[in-house]
Amino acid sequence: MELSSPNKDPYSSWQKAKSNLADAGFEEPLKVMEDHLAKGTNGEVYKPENLSIHKGYRFLEQDSYLSPSNGEMVPKYLLAVQAEDEQRYYIEFFFNSPYQDTVLNFMNSIEADGPNRKFLN
């Protein structure tokens, strides 16, 4: 059996984490547009101060797979965030992506002084 994409490996720690988040209601991706703006799947627009982090996963080199941006093995992040309107999303982030600085700035703005700061250290 040949896998068509390493992103779809059901045994990978990345895919297991995404499945766990989906089971908890974090099924929709949140797309970071700017340092202080993200967009939901139905067109909802969110600022970092309207979101809270519920869970964070950090995958280092041994858990990494090919980045869609440059075809290299890179570390990655997966965050479960909830908006004030109770919508639940996840944010996928690949290091070395062209949008690295924008996503990092956005993530750092979510509860920058709050109890979930530990996920971003």
Side-chain angles (χ1 to χ4, degrees):
M1 178 172 100
E2 184 177 324
L3 294 175
S4 59
S5 169
N7 299 352
K8 303 291 186 201
D9 179 3
Y11 302 106
S12 75
S13 54
W14 175 260
Q15 197 58 46
K16 287 179 186 177
K18 283 185 77 170
S19 294
N20 289 340
L21 290 183
D23 291 343
F26 298 94
E27 301 177 72
E28 301 295 324
L30 186 67
K31 185 175 182 177
V32 176
M33 308 298 285
E34 299 173 12
D35 288 359
H36 296 283
L37 183 71
K39 193 177 226 181
T41 53
N42 292 329
E44 305 93 342
V45 176
Y46 298 100
K47 293 183 177 185
E49 58 267 17
N50 303 121
L51 300 168
S52 61
I53 299 171
H54 280 255
K55 184 110 176 139
Y57 295 93
R58 187 173 12 191
F59 298 86
L60 303 175
E61 289 295 337
Q62 69 270 19
D63 296 318
S64 299
Y65 58 80
L66 294 176
S67 165
S69 64
N70 57 13
E72 295 179 14
M73 299 292 279
V74 295
K76 58 194 173 292
Y77 240 112
L78 182 62
L79 288 177
V81 296
Q82 183 168 329
E84 288 178 343
D85 63 4
E86 302 300 319
Q87 291 289 339
R88 292 181 168 194
Y89 299 98
Y90 65 86
I91 297 175
E92 293 179 295
F93 173 66
F94 300 88
F95 287 88
N96 298 331
S97 85
Y99 309 106
Q100 176 174 329
D101 292 337
T102 302
V103 175
L104 285 175
N105 289 338
F106 186 84
M107 288 170 36
N108 280 322
S109 296
I110 298 174
E111 297 187 10
D113 298 318
N116 291 318
R117 180 82 178 139
K118 64 184 177 208
F119 292 123
L120 303 176
N121 292 332

